[in-house]
Every structure is written in structure tokens, then in C-alpha cells.
Amino acid sequence: MTLDNGRSRGGAASMTGAAMLEDVRLVDHHCHSVVRGPLDRAGFELLATEACQAAPPGCTTLDSQLGFAVRRWCAPLLGLAPHAPADDYLAERARLGPAEVNRRLLSAANVATFLVDTGFRAGELLTPAELAAPAGSAAGEVVRLEAVAERVAEGGASAAGFAAAYADALAAATASAHAVKSVLAYRHGLAIAPEPPSAAEVRAAAGRWLRRGPGAALARLDDPVLLRHLLWAGVERGLPVQIHTGFGDSDLDLAGSDPALLTGFLRAVQGRGTPIMLLHCYPYHRQAGYLAQVFPHVYLDVGLAVNHVGARATAVIAESLELAPFHKVLYSSDAFGLPELHVLGAELFRRGLTEVLGGWVAAGSWSAPDAERVAWMIGAGNAERVYGLRG
Amino acid sequence: MTLDNGRSRGGAASMTGAAMLEDVRLVDHHCHSVVRGPLDRAGFELLATEACQAAPPGCTTLDSQLGFAVRRWCAPLLGLAPHAPADDYLAERARLGPAEVNRRLLSAANVATFLVDTGFRAGELLTPAELAAPAGSAAGEVVRLEAVAERVAEGGASAAGFAAAYADALAAATASAHAVKSVLAYRHGLAIAPEPPSAAEVRAAAGRWLRRGPGAALARLDDPVLLRHLLWAGVERGLPVQIHTGFGDSDLDLAGSDPALLTGFLRAVQGRGTPIMLLHCYPYHRQAGYLAQVFPHVYLDVGLAVNHVGARATAVIAESLELAPFHKVLYSSDAFGLPELHVLGAELFRRGLTEVLGGWVAAGSWSAPDAERVAWMIGAGNAERVYGLRG
Amino acid sequence: MTLDNGRSRGGAASMTGAAMLEDVRLVDHHCHSVVRGPLDRAGFELLATEACQAAPPGCTTLDSQLGFAVRRWCAPLLGLAPHAPADDYLAERARLGPAEVNRRLLSAANVATFLVDTGFRAGELLTPAELAAPAGSAAGEVVRLEAVAERVAEGGASAAGFAAAYADALAAATASAHAVKSVLAYRHGLAIAPEPPSAAEVRAAAGRWLRRGPGAALARLDDPVLLRHLLWAGVERGLPVQIHTGFGDSDLDLAGSDPALLTGFLRAVQGRGTPIMLLHCYPYHRQAGYLAQVFPHVYLDVGLAVNHVGARATAVIAESLELAPFHKVLYSSDAFGLPELHVLGAELFRRGLTEVLGGWVAAGSWSAPDAERVAWMIGAGNAERVYGLRG
């Protein structure tokens, strides 16, 4: 399903709207679930920004590309006119209630498979199965490497036993998972030594960490040796390793999240055969495109960015298709909390990619069949191949 | 006033030229004044570039986006055809004389309020009041933190007394100012420790600096401890703190001027309530947009860049409107020396923003009233709010 | 020659295709030669990417902007339809044979002068004279600073004699050359101390390197002191110094190839009068544009990138024309191995620059004569001036 109906569809050269991906059910290879309960305006505003605080007095986080895109693309799904005022939108949203809003919006995203990161605030969110239900989608799990370590620590591991306990816990946690994920960018930054730490280094670092004792001190693993150990454990596990790169919330040091900082690590793991999935990447998506071209095991998406840049999604998508081979680019929404972000991810991606590829067809640079094939690859085919979703 | 008259104005969806901001008198929240006397060709060329030397033999700095934009937009204001040759332009400019040229060009910029950085070569320039006179504009002052310190040093402060003397001098210098400004990017680069230096560190650093003695050695404060102290003193003062980021003249190390390098500092001052204004930002304006989204006290502009990229202003403005909430983006020209730069700043901004926002309206992504409101916010409203200009 | 004929040519304001540079024979100021013998599919694919390995199973490196551009622009030169399938293209290419393919494609590039880097895998490639023959072009040589040093080492220099032997060898190797070139970015990264190393430092570093003994150990000079010495020796030689910056193959650390890291070095050599040519630059071409504006001796191109980004060439070319004065931007292909890359470099550059400049003329920002003049400067005139090609 796409959200406007008035367009004609006369071949790729004249495509508008989301035409090129209209019939493609997307694979969202990295997202989160949505909140179960009702949201007041303050709660909604905070889920519509990467800031951790409200906007300055007299201002609203919805005066943003993302806020405008919600009013443009989601308001009609609640029965309102496009661009409905934010107050009207939130009032109608409250009147319909979270179950109905989730149902309508998640269906509209038209996603075949959600791969869901379950490692962040999962208690407030629908389960992956509940997320997938409205549109008859499939759901798979993405396991956060750091969250598994934090559970191991809370469970009372010893310094000497940490590495083995972590390996066991990771194996158990990922028994039916599709991928693992690292938030190294948030906890330390991506500038790390390329090789895995030694067993002795891991033991010493685990000792330092575990001595902090239970509770908040253990709740946030930020030791660079252990973070690096986890990343290598993820590589050894053999599932695709998703790595947060580029912007995120205010916890992050943006200059340290440039994926180019991973170059040594990427070289070191190249022989293992484990796909490395660079998530988000903005504003370093051109750097990510270079890595995806020169390293056979490196992939990228511009999820999260597409939602946040709204009307600029077309421009960012175009930039992501410069150096990266087309078999290396994937779709994700990185939606968190709001079902609106699943709609925007899918709609802005479908429309943006159609505009970009359709423009190249119209200019004679690409053939229409090539464009249709690449649109399918990025929207679904590459993820099906890398994650074995057809197996 | 805008500079072409032949356009129709049929609502935002079909807007061209500077239509969306035609009736908005801008607030230029960071600029310099213009030279008082006549300029020969060499002098004009050097004010039309960030280089400190003439172009190579046989070349001219006016073979640049900025030079072409002067010929396009300023020549008609001197009674010449658009794109008049540079020689003709300079001849007519000389014939009219600086007073008349300044009058014509400064009026054309149609700026309500100039906030003027008075800390650089002020002796050669019109006073802020003289700058504002031609168009009945208001003028406010932006005080350079480093210039105040250099005056304190020349005045004979002791190491032990420097901090107190600086605090007193800053209070006096900013009694009626609208903002302070840091040129840390030029003197050290933006990679600084986030916390303020201790009193003992300031005393020791002041001692080292003051021992250099009067004259040129004191004329350029480049001690990183003192620069950091000044920045925190600026934050404590409570006025908005403008920070030069991104490109500038050849004194600067571009890689060290990425505003993302300020992340730790921005986090450290977040609780103070002082607005931090990231100036210019190019080519790191996307990084600045991220900072403006996640930190409630951070703002940005793409002044200076808009003038220098000329025909590419639309593209740069569009990029500045990705992650930044619309209540966080401001207009500035950063014009220095040439009244032409006040014209270009305003004209290229008005036209570029109209094209960007009008394009989104035409595509159905934004509503026309939203576009009009955002244009006003960026052109004037945000600056009025942050600097208290309506008070 | 340009590759489509159906366009009208009604002045710059309505220009399409490659019109603005149709009659300009380009100067390609940095390229490599093409392979002499036949290529199988695997060999062709590896020359069509910066990766050192084949694409993942089931994928092809030709599913890329570069691969699509080959099928679009080169297939007609082999008598096939635009967008012919890769299999058909490679079959026809094999049928025609390398001599005929080289002849057709090199002629189509319509290049007046090739400046050829002869320092990389030259044994597999046509000589510069053979490269130039098909279109009656001229050929000049670009000498790699590191390749000369490696020959000196293989020849048995002593630590104490290295500097003098290198100076002699460089003088001999460049007797008729047009430029020297540094691959510092590949061997160390561009973050170097700005000043030249002392004679004692060079002697010590040469001793360490030469003790590795002949063979592979000497074949790749990566000592940072010696690399810096070579760069200064290149500056002293007085020919334009080309420096690889930005992306390249997987040997390179992208974050270390930002040309802004050269700022201190550029300042240090500013007084020498030696032009510094920043090659490629992507994704740091905006940083390069800043350097080209503020330093009178700094130039740039976006060669290599234009080939690899294909349908996005127009966007990248536009970004390269923001801060850089127009007398500082040059054309190069950086083609290596495949004659297709000479075609793409020229065709994508001609079409992209025409679209960019023609768009500014159509919008009224530039005059048509200015656009024609700038197109010629970038396509040929600036290189003629800097390299003395008319002398």
C-alpha cells in the first residue's frame, strides 16, 4: 500500500510517488518495536526527536522535518487531511487509542519482515510478534551484544569466568536470532584497535567492571576492552553483525561514530565471512559507501536518517548510492516507539528511491529494468540474501 | 526589497525568486561592518576571498561563485546590467564613491537588525550605527571574547589578577551587547577539554602569556587554557555565545573546526541555559544540525558559506535543514568589509530558502503556511526570540 | 566527439548532454594507461571496482554506478544498444579484441593530452605513447615519488647516501616529466608534520628501511619520515606535485586521506611557488575546495569519483564548484586499466559540467559566456597554464 492514489504509472521514466516499490513488501533489517500504551504530547514529542529533553520554551520538537512528515504522511491514515495541525493529530491519535493507531500505521508500512532490536527499553514496547501482527508480517530478532553482557554481569559472573559465560549467554540469546548488534559508538566510539583483546586483557577488564557491583554501575558497559571483545564474539557467532554508526541521541560523540574509523577492524575480520552491517551512517554515508565498495563483507543503510530528514530523504538516499555497489545497500527504518516512524521509514524510502532511480531513468542514464531490479534489491532482496530469509 | 520584479507570486507552491521572504526584514545575527573608504581592485579582490594573498598571475579571485554573484546581484544596484564585467563594475563603483555604494547596497539588503562583531579591524570600518543608517536598521553589538582579553593584557594585568580583571572587562564591554563571540577555532581549534580550567590553571596560563610582554606577542591570544577560560566566562555572562565553526581564512585548520568537536563542551554547559550559536559550520553543517537537534541550547547558521558558494546557496541551505529543528536555524551574512556581502547574504538566503521551501510545498511534502512560518522563523523570528530583540 | 547526437544546441541556457564542452579537447591531468591484452570477466570486474576481491557469491561489481555507466556510455561505442546486458557487452568486447576496443574507446574520450602516472603496474599497460596514439593525443609523464625511492633502494643505496641518490634519481626520472605524484595517503595517511625531516632523520630512517633487504620488504616504502622527505624533494623539484587524497582501494584508511590534514604542510610550502594538485578528494572535495580558495598554490580535481559515482557525477561536480575559485579546478579521469574509464571520465565530466553550469545559466545566476569560459578553464585551460602545456 502507498499513501496517495492519484498518480499514473507509466514506466520507470515517469514514475512518481512510491511507484517503483509499490508492490514490494520491504524487509526492515533494523528497527525497534512501538510503545504499547497511550502517549501524551510530551511523551510523543520526545519519541519524535533524538534529544533527551523538551524543546526550548515556546518551541516544539514537531517543528522539524520529522514532525512535518508525520503530519503529511500519517495524518491521512488517521482520517485527517495532510498537514493537519499537530494538536489535531495528537487529539485524533488519543481518541483512536494506541491499539487502533498501531494497527493502522503498522499495516500501512507494508513490511514483509521486521528484524527487531530487542535490547533497548523492551519492557515498554510491543513484542516483535505483536509488532508484526497487524500486517501479517514476519518478525525476527536482533540481539544487542552489550545487553547480553550486562545480563551476564548482573547474574554474577567472575572475572575469570566472564568470557566463557558471555559466550554461553550469547549462544543462548541468539539461538533463533537473525543478527547481533553493537552500540560501541554510544559506549566508546568507533576508534578501536583492530585486533581482538587477549584472554588476559578480557579477564582484567571484566574484573574492573564487575567490581563496580550490581545496579546502575553494571547497567552500562563502557569498557573499551570488553566492548571490543563483544564485537569479536559477535563476529565469531557468525550472524550478521549490525553496528550503529553516524548520528543518534545526545549520548553519542558524533565525530567518533564515523564508520571510516572501523577500517582496521573491517580489514581484520574480512576473512571470517561474517557480514558487517553499517547502520544509519549519516552524515558519514559516503564514507560508508566507500567501505561497502572495497570490502566484500560490508553493507550499509541510511535508516534513521531517512525518517529524520523528511523532505530531504531523496537527497540522502541519492548520496547513499554513489560508491556502494547495489547489492550492498539495505532498507531499515530504525523506528523506535512511535508506529509513525515505521510509516515514515517505509513511505519516505519508497518515494525517495523511486524519485532517485526514476530520475536516472528519465535522464537516460539507467534503463527502467535495471532501476526496478535495484529497487527490489535494496528494498528486500539484499536483506533476504544476507539474513537467509528465504531459506 | 528584492532584486527582480518580473516574477508572479501565486502562493508558496509556485514561488520563485525571494518571494517567501520578500516582506520579511531579516535579522542578521552575525556580521561585520563595511570599509569606510575607497577600494582599489586589489583591495576589493582581497575582501572577496578568504585567501590572504592575490590569486596566481593571470587569475582573479572574482572568478569564483562569490565574484560571479557580485556581478549578478550587485551590478543592477549600481545601474549596470546583470553579469557586468568586473572591470565595469569596479569602475562604476569607484565613480559612485563609497558613501553612495554603501547606501545603495546596504539598503538593498533589507535587514531589520544587524548584530555586529566589532572585534576585528574595527578601525577601518563604519560604526554599527553608520552601518544601520541607510536602511533605518537597528544595530547591536557582538563582543569578541579574545579581543577583550587582549585589551586586558595590554592594559597591564598580573597573572593573579587576570581572571578578575577579565570578568570586569567583559562585564563592562558587554553592558549593552547582544552576544559574545569566540574565535577558538582560529586560535587553537575546537577540540578542547569540556570542563572549565581551574583558577590555578588560569593563573599559570595567564602568567605565561603576560610574560610575552606588550605588542604583537600579546595581540593574539592562543593559549588553550585561557581560550577555554574565556569561553566559560562567556557562558557565565549569560548572553548567547557565538562560536566560529567551519571554514574561514587560511589561519584556520579546517579539520579542527568541525563543530562536532565541541560535543563535550556542549554537554558540560547544557545546564546553564546559555544559548550556543554555531556560526557558518560549512562543510560541517550537517554535524551542526545534529547538535542543534539533540542539545536544547544549540543553534546554527550557514552564513559566510551562503555568500561564498553563490549559485550553490540553495543546496547548502537545503542541507542545513535536515536534522536541525526549525526553531534552531538562523540567518547571518558574516559579511565583512564589502557592502556587496550584505547584499549577497540577504539575497542568496532569501532566494535559496524560497526555492528550498517552495520546492517542498510544490512536491506536496510541506504545506504553504508551514513554509511561510518557517521562512519567517529562520529569517527573523528565531533571532528575535534568542536575542530578545522584541523586548 | 560526444556520444549522443539528438540534442539541439541553443546556447548555454538550454544546454543538455555534453554541449558546453563538445568542442573542447580535454587535458586529463592525471590518469593511468590501459591493459594491453584481453580480459576475462573476472579481470574486467576487478578493474571496475576499487575492491581487491570479487563481489560476494551471486553478486557482481558491475551492479554499481560505474558498471551501469559502462553499459550506458560504452556499449554504443561497441555497436550495442545503450544499457546492453553485461554479458553481451563483455562478449562483444572479447570479439572485437583489445586493440580495437582500445582504439574505439580512447578515441571517443577526445582528450588532447594525457598526463600518465607510470608508477603502478606499468608492465601490464600500454605505454603513454600507445595510449595517446588512437586519438592523436599528446602524452606526458607523472612520476611517482615513492616508485623512484623504491628503485633507489633496490639499486643498493646506503643510509648515508640515500638522500643524494634519491635526488639524483628523481632529477633523472623527471627530466621530461610534467609532474610528480605522492601516494602518501596509501602509505601512511596525510596527517604529517609540516616541516621537512632533518638530514639526520632521513639518514636514520633510510637505514631502518634499507636493512629490510631487497625484495618485497623494499617494494613498499611506508616509513613516514622518508615519505615526508620524498614529498619535500618533490616540492624542491619544482614540478607540480600531485597528491592522492580521498578514497581509493582497500589499502587506504579513508579518514586519514582527508586533504584538510595537509593544511600545515600546505602552509609550509606556500612560499616555494610549487603548485600542489589535490587529486580525487571525494568525499572530502568540499574540504579541498576550501584549501584551493585560501592557498594560492593549491588545486583540485574530482577525478576517480566522477567515474565511480556515475549517474551522480553531476552532483559531485556541483559540490566541487562551491569554494574553489574556477582557476583552481581541473579535469582528470584517474582511469586505470580499462579504456572504458577514459570514456566515462570524459563523458560524465562533459555532461555533468554542462548540466551544472547550464543550470546556473538557465536560472539567471550565471551568464552564458561566463559558463563557456569556466567550462574551458576546467576542461583544459587551467591544466595548460599550470603544466605549461602551451609552452
Side-chain angles (χ1 to χ4, degrees), chain C residues 328-388:
Chain C
K328 295 298 202 68
V329 184
L330 284 81
Y331 166 69
S332 86
S333 68
D334 199 33
F336 178 89
L338 300 180
E340 282 83 353
L341 301 179
H342 288 276
V343 173
L344 292 190
E347 185 70 15
L348 294 170
F349 169 76
R350 282 193 172 93
R351 301 179 70 87
L353 192 63
T354 296
E355 186 174 341
V356 170
L357 303 190
W360 293 335
V361 172
S365 300
W366 283 33
S367 74
D370 280 334
E372 298 270 2
R373 183 170 63 89
V374 168
W376 169 80
M377 288 164 71
I378 298 175
N382 291 334
E384 291 174 359
R385 186 183 76 246
V386 175
Y387 293 101

Side-chain angles (χ1 to χ4, degrees), chain C residues 1-324:
Chain C
M1 180 192 151
T2 54
L3 306 180
D4 61 351
N5 303 306
R7 68 172 178 277
S8 64
R9 194 176 175 200
S14 61
M15 278 183 171
T16 59
M20 203 173 287
L21 283 156
E22 188 171 27
D23 304 323
V24 177
R25 297 197 80 199
L26 303 174
V27 176
D28 186 344
H29 88 113
H30 182 83
C31 65
H32 303 257
S33 191
V34 300
V35 294
R36 182 180 300 279
L39 286 165
D40 59 12
R41 174 144 190 163
F44 188 90
E45 288 217 12
L46 276 176
L47 287 170
T49 174
E50 292 290 315
C52 301
Q53 292 189 217
C59 301
T60 163
T61 66
L62 302 181
D63 273 346
S64 62
Q65 292 284 8
L66 189 149
F68 282 21
V70 166
R71 291 170 43 220
R72 168 62 185 95
W73 299 110
C74 300
L77 296 169
L78 304 193
L80 302 170
H83 316 298
D87 285 342
D88 296 358
Y89 183 83
L90 291 168
E92 185 61 15
R93 196 181 194 283
R95 197 188 67 75
L96 292 167
E100 175 63 12
V101 167
N102 285 340
R103 191 192 63 74
R104 291 196 193 185
L105 299 184
L106 292 171
S107 303
N110 195 19
V111 166
T113 304
F114 297 100
L115 299 186
V116 185
D117 175 356
T118 54
F120 187 58
R121 296 169 58 181
E124 310 163 43
L125 308 178
L126 298 184
T127 65
E130 291 171 321
L131 179 75
S137 314
E141 191 178 4
V142 178
V143 172
R144 276 203 195 195
L145 296 168
E146 295 82 5
V148 173
E150 287 156 3
R151 287 201 299 272
V152 168
E154 293 293 342
S158 69
F162 176 78
Y166 183 74
D168 290 347
L170 184 64
T174 58
S176 63
H178 286 77
V180 297
K181 177 190 175 190
S182 164
V183 291
L184 175 67
Y186 278 104
R187 303 299 178 84
H188 171 74
L190 300 180
I192 54 167
E195 70 282 356
S198 70
E201 288 173 311
V202 172
R203 192 165 53 241
R208 286 191 302 271
W209 183 46
L210 295 167
R211 277 196 293 278
R212 293 190 203 167
L218 286 186
R220 186 179 169 82
L221 172 57
D222 56 7
D223 179 274
V225 171
L226 293 181
L227 290 166
R228 198 150 47 98
H229 174 68
L230 270 51
L231 196 54
W232 277 92
V235 170
E236 301 295 342
R237 175 61 183 85
L239 294 171
V241 176
Q242 301 183 347
I243 304 181
H244 177 108
T245 73
F247 86 110
D249 72 32
S250 63
D251 273 3
L252 176 145
D253 201 329
L254 186 61
S257 76
D258 180 345
L261 298 172
L262 290 169
T263 302
F265 169 77
L266 295 173
R267 248 180 232 131
V269 301
Q270 182 169 355
R272 307 294 173 119
T274 300
I276 306 292
M277 320 303 288
L278 303 175
L279 302 178
H280 322 329
C281 301
Y282 179 100
Y284 308 110
H285 40 297
R286 284 174 155 171
Q287 282 86 332
Y290 160 74
L291 298 171
Q293 174 170 139
V294 299
F295 292 116
H297 58 313
V298 175
Y299 297 76
L300 73 96
D301 72 46
V302 286
L304 183 61
V306 162
N307 269 352
H308 276 278
V309 307
R312 287 282 297 169
T314 302
V316 171
I317 290 169
E319 290 170 348
S320 76
L321 298 175
E322 292 175 352
L323 293 192

Side-chain angles (χ1 to χ4, degrees), chain A residues 25-292:
Chain A
R25 297 197 79 198
L26 303 175
V27 176
D28 186 345
H29 89 113
H30 181 83
C31 64
H32 303 257
S33 191
V34 299
V35 292
R36 182 179 299 280
L39 286 166
D40 61 12
R41 175 145 189 165
F44 188 90
E45 289 216 13
L46 277 175
L47 287 170
T49 174
E50 292 290 317
C52 301
Q53 292 188 218
C59 303
T60 162
T61 67
L62 301 181
D63 273 346
S64 63
Q65 291 284 8
L66 190 148
F68 282 22
V70 166
R71 291 170 43 218
R72 169 62 185 93
W73 299 111
C74 300
L77 296 170
L78 303 194
L80 303 170
H83 315 298
D87 285 340
D88 296 359
Y89 182 83
L90 290 168
E92 184 62 15
R93 196 182 195 282
R95 197 188 67 76
L96 291 167
E100 175 63 12
V101 167
N102 285 340
R103 191 191 63 73
R104 291 196 193 185
L105 299 185
L106 293 171
S107 303
N110 195 19
V111 166
T113 304
F114 297 99
L115 298 185
V116 185
D117 175 355
T118 54
F120 186 59
R121 296 171 55 180
E124 310 162 42
L125 308 178
L126 297 185
T127 66
E130 290 172 322
L131 179 75
S137 314
E141 191 178 4
V142 177
V143 172
R144 277 203 193 195
L145 295 167
E146 294 82 4
V148 173
E150 288 156 2
R151 287 200 299 271
V152 168
E154 293 292 342
S158 69
F162 177 79
Y166 183 74
D168 290 348
L170 185 64
T174 58
S176 62
H178 286 78
V180 298
K181 179 190 175 188
S182 164
V183 291
L184 175 66
Y186 278 102
R187 303 297 180 86
H188 171 73
L190 300 179
I192 53 167
E195 70 281 356
S198 70
E201 289 173 311
V202 171
R203 194 165 53 240
R208 286 192 302 272
W209 183 46
L210 295 167
R211 274 195 295 278
R212 292 192 204 166
L218 285 185
R220 185 177 169 83
L221 172 58
D222 57 8
D223 179 274
V225 171
L226 293 181
L227 291 167
R228 197 151 48 97
H229 173 69
L230 270 50
L231 197 55
W232 277 91
V235 170
E236 301 295 343
R237 175 63 184 83
L239 294 172
V241 176
Q242 301 182 346
I243 304 181
H244 178 106
T245 72
F247 85 109
D249 71 34
S250 63
D251 272 4
L252 176 145
D253 201 331
L254 186 61
S257 76
D258 181 343
L261 299 172
L262 290 169
T263 302
F265 169 77
L266 296 173
R267 250 181 229 129
V269 302
Q270 182 169 357
R272 308 292 173 120
T274 299
I276 307 292
M277 320 304 288
L278 304 174
L279 302 178
H280 323 327
C281 302
Y282 178 99
Y284 308 110
H285 41 296
R286 283 173 156 171
Q287 282 86 330
Y290 160 75
L291 298 171

